């Protein structure tokens, strides 16, 4: 403003000065009665003021001058007013005309100079090469960049000197097109190489625009040369940024899904494919609701709304609350989600990071605390990020498109990495830390600002691993591959406070130009390891118990063996010698004596039976099970045959259902059937029309086998005691037996995973039911 | 010499007494030699030790072999009997109170001709010995004598 006032003062001051000089001297000379023709001074004065002062001062001067001449040449008495007025007006008009022409000319000149000035200023601050040429193509000005790049001097370059930095093979074509554009006065555009100060050629996209005057004649040429490689580099940077983003997304251990405003999925990474058991190419385009169980999709869209309204750009995991995901097989599972939002060109994109927390629900409380701190930091980062975004938007028009896209993808990357539940660290090929996300701060106890630029090995790698790390980097640099990349590794890391803890990590390399950066996701598995240790100890205990059981079984084995042999011998002797006594000394014994000896014999025989039954029960309990398909009908028939052989006198109606197939140990099942059928045989002994039936029925999808008889039955009040060892509901006088048979039956059924139970009515009969696991169950189980 | 001796290998004197009585009751009048453990049994068969002076060509008609014997047990005796050329074809009836399947399997594997469980009830014991006697001493054709060493 001051400048304007100053220049205004100068200009009007000039006008005033000229006026004073010319008009003053004219008046002065008049006094001395000298009449000089002041036309020339007046006109000259007008010229000067119009040129140097501009239009307005010029006009002012013209007015003043006219007024002065009018004053100095008043109307003569013999002249008409009209002629006088006309004369002066003509003078005034001429003066004004002169002013306008001169100042107009000047305006053009000054405008030209102004645009030249502004071009030069802009040209010198651009990163492109620029120049200004006369209408004939003679370049009279280059910007500083040109001289810096080409390493030349203005003297060398002036006019057409630029030809010396062109590729001689391309120059002829340039000399065809450029002069053609000059002649036609049209915009010129061409790509050609230019030699730099180092002697190397780089490709440049050259543009020249003509500045034309009102008549359409070219006044000047403004030209720029843009480093094509630079454009390419931006493109490459964009591509590698894209590749980096894709790499991160695909190797992440968490599911990452992005949806657009209408809720349709636009991104679905590998971890999401695994989590939902759904391929990405089918997921894309579908609504996110597909993966939310029905009851909760309302819940879910509510979250999106709140999220939208609060404009909070990020919500950390856990604070959204327990959500459920829906796998493709219809199975629901609890998930944790973090949701973020970015906006580009008015379109919103929501990104969700999911983790299946079926295992992890226990650690929630501990993490909720940390998450609150995280949220605060995340909010701070959002604000910082927003500020950075605004600044970036002020760049020049040509680059804004590419850089917008670049920035958007970088932001996505940063958001995803920041909200990831795993620590994310990136290092260069020398081992210096390039990136360090929020979770890394939590996991290792170092803040991001403290870590960027530092050596990874000096901070979080425990001393014993540092050599290996350095060697690994070296090896990778020279060979291009390494044993630890692109796989999950378990190793230990060092916390800031000095303690070592186990971690799980994936590392993947990224090539940028000729050098590598290494990215990794890291997870603290201290908890996992603890659980693993607990499980290992439990397994060990289990192993010990199993061994003890084995040993006990073996002892039992040898015990049974000796029992079967050694216990029987004395029994045999008792019975034998009693019989011998009965036979050889019958004349010396009275009836009572014989009776006593019968008791002795009976007792020893009973003992023998007990031993047999107990042995059988023990054998059933400990023997190995060999499961095969078994025809129970056939088995039952053979048992019945045996029994009828031993007891030919009785007539019993036997009914056995055909083709009853089961899956189990044939030997044990035989023992089961023998016991049950023998029981039925025994307890129907008092009936003339004894009936025994063996069949099967379906109950609740299970096959239930039964053996029914019309014998003496039992009182249902005591049904609970039925299957206990040595339990009897009848006296030995009524029916002989040891009371172990049913315990053995129960044991066999249990070993097959089945059950036994019984129903009876006194004197009407009894039915014994048992189940064995279905064949299909065995296969699936 | 048509001796038809029975070699009874039995350690328990009571079992021995009962078996002898049962044989008598069944009118089996063959001579019965009793060996009280595995060593004695082998000594007898191979005319060694206590039986050093015995005529080896005289082999028993059959052997009633108990399994649970002191010193050398029944299965070992059986193995030795089958390994030796002179006794290889000797009819051996394993006569034991053991009802273990394992014992039965091992006995047959080692070449026993028969496996009979001693019944606890004496009547059945009697019947068993009668049938054994009838079969092995009367019905069964013994291997020819000339094959004995």
């Amino acid at each position: 403003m001051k400048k304007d006032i100053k220049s205004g003062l100068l200009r009007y001051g000039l006008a005033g000065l000229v006026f004073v000089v010319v008009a003053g001297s004219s008046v002065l000379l008049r006094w001395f009665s000298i009449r000089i023709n002041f036309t020339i001074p007046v006109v000259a004065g007008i010229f000067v003021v119009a040129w140097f002062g501009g239009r307005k001062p010029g006009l002012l001067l013209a007015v003043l001058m006219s007024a002065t001449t009018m004053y100095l040449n008043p109307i003569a008495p013999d002249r008409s007013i009209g002629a006088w007025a006309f004369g002066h007006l003509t003078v005034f008009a001429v003066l004004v005309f002169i002013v306008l022409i001169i100042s107009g000319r000047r305006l053009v000149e000054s405008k030209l100079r102004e645009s030249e000035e502004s071009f030069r200023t802009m040209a010198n601050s651009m990163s492109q090469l620029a120049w200004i040429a006369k209408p004939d193509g003679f370049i009279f000005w280059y910007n500083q960049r040109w001289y810096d790049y080409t390493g030349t001097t203005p003297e060398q370059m002036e006019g057409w000197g630029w030809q010396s930095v062109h590729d001689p093979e391309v120059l002829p074509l340039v000399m065809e097109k450029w002069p053609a554009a000059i002649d036609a006065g049209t915009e010129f555009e061409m790509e050609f190489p230019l030699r730099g100060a180092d002697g190397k050629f780089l490709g440049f996209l050259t543009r020249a625009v003509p500045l034309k005057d009102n008549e359409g004649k070219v006044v000047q040429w403004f030209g720029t040369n843009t480093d094509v490689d630079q454009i390419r580099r931006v493109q490459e940077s964009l591509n590698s940024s894209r590749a980096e983003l894709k790499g991160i997304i695909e190797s992440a251990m968490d599911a990452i899904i992005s949806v657009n405003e209408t809720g349709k999925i636009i991104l679905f990474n590998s971890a999401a494919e695994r989590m939902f058991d759904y391929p990405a190419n089918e997921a894309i385009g579908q609504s996110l609701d597909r993966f939310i169980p029905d009851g909760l999709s309302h819940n879910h869209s509510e979250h999106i709304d709140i999220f939208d309204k609060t404009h909070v750009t990020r919500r950390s995991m856990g604070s959204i609350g327990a959500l459920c995901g829906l796998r493709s097989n219809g199975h629901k599972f609890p998930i944790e989600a973090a949701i973020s939002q970015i906006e580009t060109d008015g379109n919103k994109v929501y990104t969700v990071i999911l983790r299946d927390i079926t295992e992890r629900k226990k650690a929630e409380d501990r993490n909720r605390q940390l998450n609150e701190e995280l949220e605060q930091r995340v909010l701070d980062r959002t604000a910082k990020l927003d500020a950075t975004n605004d600044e970036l938007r002020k760049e020049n028009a040509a680059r804004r498109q590419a850089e917008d896209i670049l920035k958007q993808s970088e932001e996505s990357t940063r958001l995803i990495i920041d909200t990831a539940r795993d620590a994310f660290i990136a290092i260069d090929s020398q081992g210096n830390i390039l990136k360090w996300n929020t979770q890394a701060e939590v996991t290792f106890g170092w803040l991001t600002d403290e870590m960027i630029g530092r050596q990874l090995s000096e901070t979080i790698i425990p001393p014993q691993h540092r050599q290996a790390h350095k060697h690994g980097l070296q090896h990778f640099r020279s060979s291009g591959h390494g044993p630890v990349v692109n796989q999950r590794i378990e190793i230990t890391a060092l916390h800031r406070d000095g303690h070592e803890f186990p971690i799980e990590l994936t590392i993947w390399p990224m090539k940028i130009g000729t050098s590598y950066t290494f990215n990794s996701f890291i997870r603290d598995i201290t908890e996992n390891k603890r659980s693993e240790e607990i499980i290992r100890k439990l397994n060990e205990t289990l192993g010990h118990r199993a061994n003890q059981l084995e040993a006990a079984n073996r002892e039992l084995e040898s015990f049974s063996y000796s029992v079967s042999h050694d216990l029987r011998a004395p029994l045999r002797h008792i019975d034998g010698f009693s019989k011998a006594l009965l036979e050889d000394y019958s004349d010396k014994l009275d009836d009572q004596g014989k009776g006593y000896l019968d008791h002795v014999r009976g007792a020893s025989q009973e003992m023998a039976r007990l031993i047999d039954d107990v042995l059988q029960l023990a054998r059933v309990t400990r023997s190995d099970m060999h499961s095969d398909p078994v025809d129970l009908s056939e088995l039952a028939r053979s048992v019945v045959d045996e029994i009828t052989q031993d007891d030919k006198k009785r007539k019993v109606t036997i009914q056995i259902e055909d083709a009853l197939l089961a899956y189990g140990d044939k030997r044990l099942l035989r023992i089961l059937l023998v016991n049950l059928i023998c029981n039925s045989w025994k307890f129907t002994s008092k009936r003339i029309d004894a009936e025994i039936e063996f069949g099967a029925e379906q109950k609740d999808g299970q096959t239930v086998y039964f053996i029914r008889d019309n014998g003496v039955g039992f009182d249902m009040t005591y049904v609970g005691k039925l299957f206990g060892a040595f339990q009897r509901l009848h006296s030995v006088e009524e029916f002989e037996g040891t009371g172990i048979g049913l315990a053995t039956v129960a044991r066999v059924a249990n070993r097959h995973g089945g059950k036994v139970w019984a129903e009876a009515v006194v004197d009407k009969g009894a039915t014994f039911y048992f189940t064995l696991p279905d064949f299909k169950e065995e296969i699936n189980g | 010499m048509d001796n038809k001796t029975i070699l009874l290998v039995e350690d328990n004197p009571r079992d021995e007494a009962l078996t002898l009585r049962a044989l008598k009751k069944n009118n089996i009048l063959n001579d019965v030699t009793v060996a009280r453990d595995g060593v004695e049994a082998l000594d007898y068969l191979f005319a060694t030790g206590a039986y050093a002076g015995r005529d080896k060509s005289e082999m028993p008609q059959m052997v009633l072999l108990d399994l649970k014997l002191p010193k050398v047990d029944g299965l070992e005796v059986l193995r030795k009997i089958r390994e030796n050329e002179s006794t290889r074809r000797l009819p051996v009836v394993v006569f034991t109170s053991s009802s273990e399947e394992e014992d039965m399997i091992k006995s047959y594997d080692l070449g026993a001709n028969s496996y009979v469980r001693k019944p606890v009830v004496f009547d059945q014991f009697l019947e068993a010995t009668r049938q054994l006697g009838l079969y092995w001493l009367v019905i069964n054709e013994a291997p020819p004598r000339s094959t004995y060493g």
Side-chain angles (χ1 to χ4, degrees):
Chain A
M1 269 315 286
K2 279 207 181 135
K3 236 187 165 175
D4 285 348
I5 296 174
K6 198 172 168 197
S7 88
L9 270 167
L10 274 171
R11 290 185 294 130
Y12 286 98
L14 180 65
L17 182 67
V18 167
F19 172 65
V20 165
V21 166
V22 172
S25 46
S26 154
V27 168
L28 212 62
L29 289 175
R30 263 309 155 86
W31 267 3
F32 292 112
S33 301
I34 302 172
R35 278 178 161 267
I36 299 178
N37 195 335
F38 264 86
T39 321
I40 294 173
V42 165
V43 171
I46 292 284
F47 258 89
V48 166
V49 171
W51 183 261
F52 290 106
R55 183 151 35 125
K56 290 209 189 98
L59 287 173
L60 177 66
L61 186 64
V63 167
L64 290 172
M65 290 297 203
S66 302
T68 316
T69 49
M70 279 203 285
Y71 166 72
L72 290 175
N73 301 306
I75 306 173
D78 55 342
R79 294 284 256 327
S80 70
I81 303 177
W84 178 86
F86 182 71
H88 281 291
L89 267 168
T90 318
V91 170
F92 180 65
V94 168
L95 290 179
V96 167
F97 185 67
I98 294 171
V99 169
L100 287 175
I101 291 194
I102 301 295
S103 65
R105 177 95 214 131
R106 203 209 150 199
L107 214 62
V108 169
E109 293 274 312
S110 70
K111 272 223 157 57
L112 185 66
R113 206 159 300 126
E114 255 176 58
S115 66
E116 228 185 82
E117 252 336 289
S118 62
F119 181 78
R120 281 189 217 209
T121 322
M122 190 177 69
N124 272 331
S125 61
M126 290 193 305
S127 59
Q128 282 127 319
L129 315 184
W131 40 268
I132 311 177
K134 296 198 188 162
D136 63 356
F138 181 96
I139 299 183
F140 60 88
W141 183 86
Y142 294 87
N143 75 346
Q144 192 52 42
R145 292 271 180 281
W146 175 278
Y147 296 118
D148 289 342
Y149 173 71
T150 56
T152 54
T153 64
E155 291 76 34
Q156 292 171 312
M157 290 290 108
E158 206 181 13
W160 298 80
W162 47 268
Q163 291 177 334
S164 64
V165 295
H166 269 246
D167 184 344
E169 296 190 20
V170 182
L171 188 57
L173 194 59
V174 177
M175 288 313 289
E176 229 184 82
K177 291 200 168 172
W178 173 225
I182 294 172
D183 287 338
T186 51
E187 275 187 30
F188 170 73
E189 189 177 308
M190 191 176 168
E191 206 180 303
F192 47 69
L194 293 174
R195 190 177 51 241
D198 55 4
K200 293 205 187 114
F201 280 94
L202 283 180
F204 285 86
L205 179 65
T206 304
R207 267 211 199 91
V209 178
L211 177 68
K212 294 185 182 167
D213 65 11
N214 298 347
E215 280 127 46
K217 257 183 57 197
V218 178
V219 174
Q220 271 184 350
W221 287 93
F222 292 101
T224 58
N225 310 83
T226 310
D227 182 354
V228 183
D229 284 338
Q230 205 170 38
I231 295 173
R232 208 172 295 132
R233 259 177 265 132
V234 170
Q235 190 61 37
E236 263 171 25
S237 181
L238 175 65
N239 285 344
S240 72
S241 194
R242 279 216 177 102
E244 185 177 347
L245 177 62
K246 190 163 175 53
I248 288 167
I249 289 175
E250 285 307 310
S251 71
M253 295 189 250
D254 291 326
I256 300 174
I257 304 175
S258 291
V259 295
N260 62 14
E261 278 180 319
T262 60
K264 297 281 182 295
I265 295 173
I266 56 175
L267 176 83
F268 200 80
N269 77 338
S270 309
E273 288 184 319
R274 285 194 296 278
M275 176 180 281
F276 291 100
D277 193 24
Y278 204 83
N281 53 11
E282 289 184 38
I284 290 181
Q286 294 224 33
S287 163
L288 189 61
D289 286 341
R290 211 206 164 296
F291 298 102
I292 305 164
D294 287 333
L296 296 168
S297 53
H298 149 79
N299 204 356
H300 167 261
S301 48
E302 211 177 87
H303 279 301
I304 296 242
D305 285 340
I306 294 173
F307 188 79
D308 232 357
K309 291 193 180 93
T310 60
H311 286 292
V312 176
T313 331
R314 244 170 271 117
R315 301 245 348 198
S316 308
M317 286 201 174
S319 60
I320 269 195
L323 296 176
C324 263
L326 185 69
R327 251 188 276 273
S328 65
N329 62 3
H331 169 63
K332 288 187 208 171
F333 57 97
I335 52 172
E336 279 185 336
I339 181 168
S340 67
Q341 167 195 310
I342 55 169
E343 194 165 325
T344 50
D345 305 323
N347 298 322
K348 294 190 186 140
V349 172
Y350 303 95
T351 302
V352 188
I353 299 176
L354 305 172
R355 175 173 296 181
D356 180 345
I357 52 164
T358 316
E359 316 291 321
R360 279 292 191 92
K361 284 220 149 187
K362 291 161 203 164
E364 250 184 329
D365 283 326
R366 178 168 70 91
N367 285 318
R368 202 168 289 140
Q369 237 181 335
L370 292 171
N371 281 341
E372 274 161 10
E373 287 174 50
L374 223 68
E375 258 193 83
Q376 190 49 48
R377 286 218 192 97
V378 153
L379 286 171
D380 293 344
R381 296 249 163 150
T382 313
K384 274 192 205 158
L385 221 65
D386 281 343
T388 317
N389 279 349
D390 283 337
E391 279 172 35
L392 285 173
R393 252 177 225 128
K394 287 173 192 157
E395 289 229 64
N396 79 56
R399 295 241 202 88
R400 202 175 298 172
Q401 191 73 2
E403 285 178 352
D404 257 1
I405 298 169
L406 188 66
K407 185 207 351 152
Q408 179 189 332
S409 73
E410 276 178 357
E411 201 178 314
S412 295
T413 312
R414 220 171 290 133
L415 275 172
I416 287 170
I417 291 171
D418 250 6
T419 56
R421 191 76 172 285
D422 292 329
F424 177 82
I425 300 178
I427 57 171
D428 63 18
S429 53
Q430 300 302 318
N432 299 310
I433 297 169
L434 301 172
K435 292 197 182 125
W436 187 269
N437 77 340
T438 317
Q439 185 61 33
E441 292 182 340
V442 172
T443 304
F444 296 102
W446 296 91
L447 297 176
T448 305
D449 301 326
E450 296 177 299
M451 288 306 264
I452 303 289
R454 284 185 74 171
Q455 269 282 312
L456 189 73
S457 56
E458 277 163 24
T459 50
I460 64 164
I461 299 182
Q464 66 270 28
H465 297 313
R466 284 179 195 166
Q467 268 302 89
H469 168 77
K470 285 208 165 75
H471 282 152
L473 282 176
Q474 249 175 15
H475 182 259
F476 197 93
R477 280 199 296 272
S478 52
S479 71
H481 56 264
V484 298
V485 296
N486 294 323
Q487 53 185 283
R488 279 180 43 206
I489 301 163
E490 276 186 26
I491 200 170
T492 55
L494 202 60
H495 195 274
R496 185 183 195 156
D497 63 19
H499 82 270
E500 223 175 288
F501 61 98
I503 56 167
E504 175 185 77
L505 73 149
T506 52
I507 307 173
W508 73 102
M510 277 214 26
K511 197 164 185 181
I512 300 186
T514 51
S515 64
Y516 286 96
T517 61
F518 299 94
N519 298 327
S520 68
F521 276 115
I522 300 169
R523 192 179 290 189
D524 178 348
I525 54 168
T526 316
E527 276 308 307
N528 280 15
K529 283 279 170 206
R530 231 172 265 148
S531 312
E532 268 175 38
E533 185 60 28
I534 292 170
I535 289 170
R536 193 190 61 77
K537 287 221 173 73
L538 283 173
N539 278 340
E540 233 177 81
T541 316
L542 219 69
H544 288 321
R545 296 266 167 81
N547 284 343
Q548 284 172 351
L549 213 67
E550 264 297 311
N553 269 351
R554 276 195 295 273
E555 273 178 46
L556 212 64
E557 187 98 32
S558 60
F559 175 73
S560 317
Y561 184 77
S562 67
V563 160
S564 73
H565 210 273
D566 300 337
L567 282 183
R568 282 215 189 85
L571 288 178
R572 188 171 47 251
H573 303 151
I574 292 169
D575 187 86
F577 286 109
S578 307
K579 190 67 196 270
L581 203 60
L582 274 172
E583 289 172 355
D584 299 349
Y585 293 88
S586 60
D587 53 331
K588 294 230 172 50
L589 283 166
D590 65 352
D591 281 338
Q592 189 166 61
K594 289 186 187 138
Y596 287 164
L597 285 171
D598 279 336
H599 280 307
V600 170
R601 293 191 70 210
S604 66
Q605 282 166 28
E606 196 182 308
M607 175 130 180
R609 274 195 298 275
L610 262 168
I611 290 172
D612 283 341
D613 283 350
V614 166
L615 274 181
Q616 187 182 80
L617 183 58
R619 207 176 297 134
V620 159
T621 310
R622 66 167 164 79
S623 72
D624 294 331
M625 281 226 345
H626 301 289
S627 292
D628 292 307
V630 174
D631 185 342
L632 290 176
S633 311
E634 228 182 84
L635 208 56
R637 266 189 272 270
S638 89
V639 169
V640 167
D641 284 343
E642 255 184 54
I643 297 176
T644 46
Q645 277 281 63
D646 289 339
D647 196 355
K648 291 202 182 89
K649 294 178 233 116
R650 285 189 59 191
K651 261 186 69 190
V652 183
T653 318
I654 312 279
Q655 223 182 323
I656 297 175
E657 199 177 305
D658 279 327
L660 291 173
L661 296 171
Y663 195 75
D665 184 311
K666 190 164 182 180
R667 252 188 25 184
L668 294 180
L669 289 175
R670 185 166 220 283
I671 291 170
L672 179 147
L673 286 175
V674 164
N675 274 289
L676 286 176
I677 296 175
C678 280
N679 269 359
S680 292
W681 188 273
K682 191 163 57 179
F683 288 98
T684 53
S685 59
K686 299 213 172 114
R687 269 211 189 283
I688 319 160
D689 57 343
E691 272 172 33
I692 300 178
E693 190 194 338
F694 174 51
E697 53 193 28
Q698 291 295 323
K699 231 192 222 173
D700 303 324
Q702 255 200 325
T703 310
V704 177
Y705 304 93
F706 61 85
I707 294 184
R708 189 174 290 136
D709 66 65
N710 62 351
V712 74
F714 58 84
D715 188 344
M716 280 297 279
T717 324
Y718 304 108
V719 71
K721 297 177 113 188
L722 210 54
F723 294 97
F726 301 109
Q727 294 290 338
R728 302 202 76 228
L729 299 183
H730 296 88
S731 68
V732 183
E733 274 82 47
E734 293 179 83
F735 299 99
E736 57 103 20
T738 55
I740 301 185
L742 286 177
T744 308
V745 167
R747 193 62 63 86
V748 172
N750 283 340
R751 288 207 69 192
H752 284 81
K755 293 200 188 81
V756 278
W757 66 99
E759 284 163 12
V761 179
V762 176
D763 280 333
K764 288 268 166 42
T767 312
F768 284 80
Y769 300 94
F770 64 95
T771 55
L772 303 167
D774 278 334
F775 187 81
K776 281 186 247 108
E777 274 175 44
E778 195 64 23
I779 289 289
N780 288 338
Chain B
M1 263 249 295
D2 209 352
N3 199 347
K4 294 197 177 185
T5 320
I6 298 173
L7 175 63
L8 173 63
V9 188
E10 172 64 64
D11 66 321
N12 192 307
R14 292 199 190 105
D15 269 323
E16 181 197 323
L18 286 174
T19 310
L20 291 174
R21 184 168 183 278
L23 287 172
K24 203 158 71 176
K25 279 266 170 177
N26 285 312
N27 290 317
I28 296 167
L29 303 162
N30 305 58
D31 285 340
V32 179
T33 310
V34 180
R36 290 213 175 75
D37 57 48
V39 173
E40 249 188 73
L42 292 171
D43 277 347
Y44 176 86
L45 286 170
F46 301 118
T48 53
Y51 289 92
R54 197 183 76 84
D55 179 2
K56 253 173 71 165
S57 64
E58 284 182 16
M59 277 294 160
Q61 181 117 7
M62 82 186 229
V63 180
L64 277 174
L65 180 61
D66 190 9
L67 290 182
K68 279 260 179 210
L69 302 168
K71 296 184 194 164
V72 178
D73 76 19
L75 289 172
E76 191 52 38
V77 172
L78 180 55
R79 182 180 300 129
K80 285 263 154 41
I81 290 175
R82 288 292 175 251
E83 274 171 7
N84 204 289
E85 190 54 44
S86 60
T87 53
R88 206 156 53 90
R89 295 197 191 90
L90 202 49
V92 176
V93 175
V94 171
F95 196 44
T96 177
S97 25
S98 167
S99 56
E100 290 298 298
E101 211 178 325
E102 250 182 74
D103 284 335
M104 183 163 71
I105 292 169
K106 281 197 194 128
S107 305
Y108 274 117
D109 280 346
L110 286 167
N113 297 83
S114 161
Y115 188 97
V116 179
R117 289 204 185 95
K118 288 181 200 161
V120 171
V121 180
F122 190 74
D123 297 326
Q124 293 171 12
F125 184 82
L126 202 60
E127 183 59 24
T129 37
R130 190 185 74 81
Q131 288 194 23
L132 277 172
L134 178 65
Y135 180 76
W136 286 101
L137 300 169
V138 178
I139 299 172
N140 186 49
E141 298 269 355
R145 293 227 127 226
S146 56
T147 61
Y148 289 152

